[in-house]
Structures are given as C-alpha cells and as structure tokens.
Amino acid sequence: KFPIWFVVFIYLTVMYCSTYNIVRQSFAVTITFVAYYYFINNRKKIFLSLMVIALLSHPTSVVCFLFYVIDSIAKLKNVYLKYFTIILLTFGFLGIIFIFKDLINVLLMFGGDNVQRYDYYIKNTDGGISKFEIALKSFTIIIIIYGLIKKVADERLLLSFLMISFLAILMVFLNLIAESAGRFAFFFQDISFIAVPMILYSKKILKPIRLLLILMYIGLATITFYSIFVINGKIAGYIYPYKSKILDQ
C-alpha cells in the first residue's frame, strides 16, 4: 500500500546499528517487527510464537509484551479514561523534554555513580542525547496525531502507534540513568516503519501535503543519521564504513 523504498529509508536512518552488540540485538528487533504485524491483525498465537524466538535471541525483547497493555488502553470503551491516559503520556513526554534537565541538576547535588551520565546530558558531551534524534521522534508523533485527525486508519491502531512512540522517547532519556533502558527503545522505534508510511500514503492525505511531510521527514532523518553516525562516529562504536582516515576515525 506504500512504496518499500520509504520503509527501507526509515530503517537505515533510524535503526542503523550504533554498536557491534546492537547488530546481535537487531535480529531480535527484526523478529518483533514481524510479530507486531500479526499482533495488530489479531493473530496472537503467531505473535507469541515469534516472541519466544525473539526472547531466545535477545532477552530485552520482553518489553514488547507491553503491546498488550497499550492495545488494551487503545480499546477502552470509556473514552474519558482512554484519552486521559494519552494526555498523561503527552504531559509526561513534554515534561521529559523540558523539565528533565532541571531534574538532573537536582540529582547531581546528591552525587552517586551516575553523575557522569547525567553530566553528559547537561553539557551535551560524548554519550549525550542527540537533539536531532528527539526531533525526529517528535516529528513521528506529529505525523501520527495528524493521521488521527484525518482518520486515516482505525483509531485503536493509531492510538497504539502514538503511545508506543511516547515510550520510545521515554526509553531514550532513561538510558542516561540505566544503560540497558536504551536497548528497549529499539523495539519501539520499529513502529515508525509501519506508522509513518501508512499514514502519509493514505488516500485521505492530499498529495502536496504528503510530499511536504515526506521531504521534511527525509531531511530530518538524514541530518539525524549524519549527526549520530558520521560526526559522532567514535561514540557510535566504530561501525563500518565510518571508521576511515577521511573522517579521522
């Protein structure tokens, strides 16, 4: 229903392996990506079977069982309760982006083993959060909300996309506190492979708007990729082909 080149482009820019260890985890991410297809099509037995395989590949894939929780919230008949959860996640998302730095400053006063990791965020040094990465994830959320307004697909599915995207950003920030938290983000990021193309190539989206949003997404994704894997290639784990004399890495 939408061009495969766009899906592949999103994969290469959003999910390019940042370390050699992530290459191993990417196998589990791939399995859960396929499993999610069966999940949203209510073929839960196949989903569970694939999840067993994913867990054998990498234990962090256990986080994908949150899909059940998210789906249950999206299916709530109580509209007020359902949207209260969405609003709560929204304010949590905004709080993380705009208040997180101040919270870190407070935590720094107490010291501890994680002071250096918090310091990464404040000074935006090696290991800090890429502002472009957060911008790209935020733009994905904007596209999903636009899809909800235009009613391009089943509301339950779009709300699930929205909540999963919020969780992806939350995991990125939590990575500063617990290094393993960032690994969970990979399992939520793959939702963009489905959500973004599905929404933008819907018949309900006008072609000029579709073209504009696609160009904006491609531009932001390319800048994010360049920032993380080319400029900060050393931090990203010396992944080929960015270990070169030309780039001095």
Side-chain angles (χ1 to χ4, degrees):
K1 295 182 179 179
F2 42 78
I4 193 66
W5 71 263
F6 194 43
V7 181
V8 174
F9 173 83
I10 295 174
Y11 172 79
L12 291 176
T13 51
V14 174
M15 293 292 293
Y16 188 83
C17 301
S18 58
T19 68
Y20 287 119
N21 195 32
I22 296 300
V23 175
R24 181 171 65 89
Q25 184 183 342
S26 66
F27 183 67
V29 173
T30 302
I31 297 171
T32 56
F33 175 63
V34 176
Y36 187 68
Y37 166 81
Y38 290 102
F39 181 84
I40 62 179
N41 283 283
N42 296 312
R43 302 178 69 178
K44 303 298 172 59
K45 289 183 179 179
I46 298 178
F47 168 75
L48 290 171
S49 299
L50 288 169
M51 283 305 302
V52 170
I53 298 173
L55 284 167
L56 292 172
S57 176
H58 208 281
T60 52
S61 56
V62 69
V63 74
C64 292
F65 284 105
L66 280 174
F67 290 152
Y68 277 106
V69 178
I70 294 166
D71 189 59
S72 298
I73 295 172
K75 288 192 296 187
L76 284 173
K77 292 183 179 180
N78 188 322
V79 177
Y80 295 105
L81 183 58
K82 179 166 59 178
Y83 279 94
F84 172 77
T85 306
I86 301 294
I87 292 170
L88 190 65
L89 281 171
T90 304
F91 278 104
F93 160 70
L94 294 173
I96 285 173
I97 290 181
F98 297 107
I99 305 173
F100 199 76
K101 183 174 179 179
D102 295 325
L103 291 176
I104 290 174
N105 277 316
V106 173
L107 289 169
L108 280 170
M109 295 169 59
F110 297 97
D113 297 333
N114 288 319
V115 169
Q116 187 179 10
R117 295 187 64 76
Y118 290 120
D119 201 45
Y120 284 154
Y121 179 77
I122 293 175
K123 295 182 179 178
N124 196 27
T125 55
D126 294 355
I129 294 174
S130 166
K131 302 304 184 291
F132 291 114
E133 183 182 1
I134 297 302
L136 182 61
K137 287 180 172 59
S138 301
F139 190 50
T140 299
I141 287 176
I142 291 171
I143 290 175
I144 294 171
I145 293 173
Y146 182 64
L148 272 165
I149 295 171
K150 288 292 184 178
K151 299 179 180 179
V152 301
D154 178 67
E155 183 187 56
R156 166 202 151 204
L157 182 59
L158 293 173
L159 287 175
S160 295
F161 288 161
L162 186 62
M163 286 186 277
I164 291 170
S165 298
F166 279 136
L167 286 174
I169 295 179
L170 176 63
M171 293 300 175
V172 170
F173 276 89
L174 287 178
N175 187 53
L176 291 173
I177 303 170
E179 192 171 352
S180 59
R183 294 191 174 275
F184 296 135
F186 287 98
F187 294 99
F188 295 135
Q189 286 174 181
D190 62 12
I191 299 305
S192 60
F193 309 156
I194 302 174
V196 174
M198 188 192 77
I199 293 169
L200 295 185
Y201 281 92
S202 168
K203 292 180 180 179
K204 294 184 178 181
I205 304 297
L206 296 175
K207 288 184 178 180
I209 296 177
R210 175 189 303 154
L211 179 60
L212 176 63
L213 291 175
I214 288 174
L215 289 175
M216 288 174 66
Y217 191 94
I218 288 175
L220 188 54
T222 303
I223 294 171
T224 302
F225 178 86
Y226 187 84
S227 171
I228 295 175
F229 298 108
V230 178
I231 296 177
N232 296 317
K234 285 186 178 180
I235 305 166
Y238 294 101
I239 294 297
Y240 181 85
Y242 296 110
K243 184 178 179 181
S244 67
K245 292 180 180 180
I246 296 175
L247 295 171
D248 192 28
Q249 295 174 5

